[in-house]
Amino acid sequence: MAAATPSLRLLPPEGTDLNQPCVVRDVIDRIGDRWSLLVLGHLAESSLRFNALHRKIGDISKQVLSRTLRRLEEDGFISRTVRESNPPQVEYALTTMGLTFLSPMKAVLDWADAHHDAITQSRELFARRS
């Protein structure tokens, strides 16, 4: 196994109170779920209404999409705008903070794309050994 770059600090500094909530886990748990990156990716292209977003993603239930949108709004990644009409129209868009997340998100997605074949091969090899 290759050694990590010494200047790349990934773990909490010595003396960190580990009884307090972990900042990294708190954020990664929310954006690293099954659906959040897809939602953010679609909203990066344009603001969308709920049903349009649901159609674009496809295989997500309306309940799960609603919960994902609510969490992303709660965390400040997206905004929810209600337009007065009959029935009211709700539109979702990235916030300024959501826009700042696109660059690191793209880096992770690019890494996943570049390494997907190797990961798939590793999984197959592991399954044959098990």
Side-chain angles (χ1 to χ4, degrees):
M1 181 195 292
T5 306
S7 63
L8 184 60
R9 182 84 182 143
L10 298 175
L11 300 174
E14 292 294 324
T16 298
D17 183 357
L18 299 178
N19 293 316
Q20 296 299 313
C22 176
V23 175
V24 173
R25 276 196 315 257
D26 181 44
V27 173
I28 297 300
D29 283 349
R30 294 300 275 267
I31 57 157
D33 67 14
R34 185 172 181 181
W35 301 107
S36 292
L37 294 181
L38 282 173
V39 168
L40 293 170
H42 285 293
L43 293 177
E45 295 173 354
S46 68
S47 59
L48 292 166
R49 292 176 53 197
F50 183 91
N51 286 329
L53 187 55
H54 186 254
R55 280 191 302 275
K56 284 183 173 281
I57 295 174
D59 60 342
I60 186 173
S61 72
K62 288 186 176 189
Q63 180 182 11
V64 171
L65 177 57
S66 180
R67 184 180 329 123
T68 302
L69 288 166
R70 196 169 34 255
R71 288 178 176 168
L72 289 169
E73 181 184 9
E74 177 185 3
D75 289 346
F77 285 91
I78 65 171
S79 64
R80 179 180 183 270
T81 304
V82 179
R83 306 221 186 279
E84 294 303 321
S85 63
N86 192 8
Q89 295 180 353
V90 178
E91 188 172 88
Y92 297 91
L94 292 179
T95 61
T96 301
M97 186 174 70
L99 289 168
T100 66
F101 181 65
L102 294 180
S103 182
M105 180 175 130
K106 182 169 179 358
V108 169
L109 296 176
D110 288 347
W111 183 92
D113 186 48
H115 294 86
H116 187 255
D117 289 342
I119 292 168
T120 301
Q121 290 171 3
S122 182
R123 288 176 182 164
E124 290 169 357
L125 179 61
F126 183 84
R128 285 195 298 268
R129 286 192 324 227
S130 297

